[in-house]
């Protein structure tokens, strides 16, 4: 649902004509059709509406022969009083042409974004104490801490310091590597994309980095997917516990939207990124064979 970047100037054409031919709002400047003319023909639809409906306009507009019509002369627009000696208006800037003629991909992305914003707002039922599920907010915030970077980093370091087997150390060393890689990638993408958190979010999170003012992707969702995949692959757990790990990851992701911290796409991409990060960690798996120095250093601590 593309929306024209500039509003349509509803002034009579004669009034428009008195201003600059490429001024804001003037069709020559790319002001799209008022009736939702974001499509390729929006500019000309707007022009023909004006020339056919507005009474009392300069007759030079209506006297235009078909061959002089702007439909035939792309990039120009007839102006009241504009004589043949006047230079034709400059052609539309490239970015305006793209705006008026959005690709299928552009429309699909904008529609997805609109659905995303609408759904995220609907699901943000714990965004504030006065929200419809506001009483659930403390529970959601507890879940938030369960997926925060600090407890996971400190917990891993603690277990590493207590581990007395090489196998245990190897797994924990890789978990530490995974958590650091996750922090780095999420910070990098947040800094590049710079998508603002939803307007209904209250910024009352426990210890954040400066990039955490941005929402894409959700760091909690990446960690949930990464850690749960890691646990499922490296810990021998009974089936009910495995189900619990998957449920935790899913509910943690959902809670990000319910708390109003994120839009749905932030969480969906976060899950995808976390899942992919595990594949990277698995591919670069650190062991005493390929990273002996790391393991020796740690064992001397
Ligand atoms: C070693 C180091 C740089 C630790 C920093 C740990 C830390 C403060 C992580 C931030 C975790 C956080 C609040 C992420 C934001 O999650 P979203 O789901 O809101 O994106």
């Amino acid at each position: 649902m593309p929306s024209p970047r500039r509003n349509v100037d509803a002034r009579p054409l004669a009034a428009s004509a008195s201003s600059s031919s490429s001024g804001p709002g003037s069709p020559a400047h790319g002001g799209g059709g008022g009736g939702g003319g974001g499509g390729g023909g929006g500019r000309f639809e707007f022009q023909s509406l004006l020339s056919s409906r507005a009474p009392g306009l300069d007759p030079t507009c209506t006297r235009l022969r078909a061959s002089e019509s702007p439909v035939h002369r792309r990039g120009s627009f007839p102006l009241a009083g504009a004589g043949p000696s006047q230079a034709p208006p400059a052609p539309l800037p490239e970015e305006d042409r793209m705006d008026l003629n959005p690709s299928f991909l552009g429309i699909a992305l904008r529609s997805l974004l609109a659905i995303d914003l609408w759904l995220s707002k609907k699901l943000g039922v714990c965004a504030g104490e006065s929200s419809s599920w506001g009483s659930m907010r403390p529970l959601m915030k507890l879940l938030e801490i369960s997926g925060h970077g600090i407890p996971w980093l400190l917990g891993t370091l603690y277990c590493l310091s207590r581990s007395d087997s090489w196998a245990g150390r190897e797994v924990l060393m890789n978990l530490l590597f995974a958590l650091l890689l996750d922090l780095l990638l999420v910070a990098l993408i947040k800094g590049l994309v710079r998508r603002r958190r939803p307007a209904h979010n209250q910024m009352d999170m426990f210890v954040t980095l400066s990039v955490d003012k941005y929402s894409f992707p959700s760091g909690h969702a990446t960690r949930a997917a990464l850690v749960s995949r890691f646990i499922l692959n490296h810990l021998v757990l009974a089936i009910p516990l495995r189900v619990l790990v998957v449920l935790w990851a899913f509910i943690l992701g959902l809670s990000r939207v319910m708390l109003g911290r994120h839009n749905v796409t932030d969480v969906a991409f976060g899950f995808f990124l976390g899942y992919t990060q595990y594949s990277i960690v698995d591919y670069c798996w650190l062991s005493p064979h390929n990273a002996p120095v790391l393991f020796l250093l740690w064992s001397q601590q």
Side-chain angles (χ1 to χ4, degrees):
M1 56 193 70
S3 60
R5 222 190 311 158
R6 298 181 187 89
N7 291 333
V8 173
D9 187 348
R11 289 172 299 167
L13 186 60
S16 298
S18 64
S19 64
S20 157
S21 64
S22 60
S26 90
H29 193 77
R43 187 162 62 97
F44 299 123
E45 274 166 31
F46 177 44
Q47 183 274 328
S48 62
L49 265 175
L50 284 173
S51 52
S52 61
R53 283 199 199 151
L57 287 181
D58 188 312
T60 50
C61 286
T62 43
R63 268 193 270 115
L64 275 170
R65 288 196 311 272
S67 60
E68 291 168 335
S69 145
V71 179
H72 294 266
R73 290 189 287 129
R74 282 185 72 86
S76 68
F77 184 76
L79 295 171
S85 58
Q86 271 182 281
L92 277 172
E94 189 62 32
E95 80 267 19
D96 278 8
R97 273 182 246 168
M98 283 160 63
D99 232 17
L100 295 175
N101 192 10
S103 64
F104 175 75
L105 188 68
I107 295 173
L109 280 178
R110 282 169 198 224
S111 307
L112 176 69
L113 205 66
I115 295 170
D116 182 34
L117 295 181
W118 170 79
L119 190 61
S120 308
K121 198 162 181 204
K122 271 227 166 282
L123 290 174
V125 288
C126 306
E129 280 75 14
S130 55
S131 307
S132 49
W133 288 27
S135 57
M136 294 275 284
R137 199 170 156 81
L139 189 66
M140 296 291 150
K141 290 185 83 170
L142 209 62
L143 256 172
E144 178 168 64
I145 292 175
S146 79
H148 196 284
I150 289 185
W152 277 99
L153 280 172
L154 292 182
T156 307
L157 283 170
Y158 176 77
C159 293
L160 204 46
S161 70
R162 307 282 300 178
S163 171
D164 49 11
S165 77
W166 279 102
R169 247 175 256 160
E170 185 176 318
V171 170
L172 289 164
M173 195 75 92
N174 281 281
L175 180 57
L176 187 63
F177 166 56
L179 291 170
L180 292 175
L181 176 76
D182 172 54
L183 279 175
L184 187 79
L185 285 182
V186 169
L188 202 74
I189 300 175
K190 277 187 175 178
L192 282 174
V193 177
R194 292 167 179 245
R195 184 184 200 187
R196 291 272 163 203
R197 289 188 185 265
H200 54 283
N201 174 47
Q202 291 179 17
M203 203 53 196
D204 57 350
M205 273 165 66
F206 161 69
V207 193
T208 54
L209 300 173
S210 62
V211 284
D212 291 324
K213 61 177 175 284
Y214 301 121
S215 76
F216 185 91
S218 159
H220 280 75
T222 57
R223 207 156 21 251
L226 169 68
V227 164
S228 57
R229 210 177 155 202
F230 196 101
I231 290 176
L232 294 179
N233 278 288
H234 295 285
L235 286 188
V236 183
L237 295 175
I239 301 279
L241 279 178
R242 295 175 77 81
V243 173
L244 216 61
V245 169
V246 176
L247 267 181
W248 166 76
F250 177 75
I251 295 172
L252 179 58
L254 183 64
S255 74
R256 306 305 294 151
V257 183
M258 291 174 74
L259 273 172
R261 305 270 194 241
H262 290 280
N263 294 305
V264 175
T265 45
D266 304 333
V267 172
F269 185 78
F271 279 148
F272 166 76
L273 183 64
Y275 190 88
T276 310
Q277 280 170 352
Y278 176 79
S279 303
I280 298 172
V281 171
D282 205 36
Y283 184 77
C284 307
W285 190 259
L286 304 172
S287 73
H289 302 289
N290 62 17
V293 182
L294 206 64
F295 283 84
L296 275 175
L297 275 179
W298 187 267
S299 60
Q300 281 168 6
Q301 298 284 313

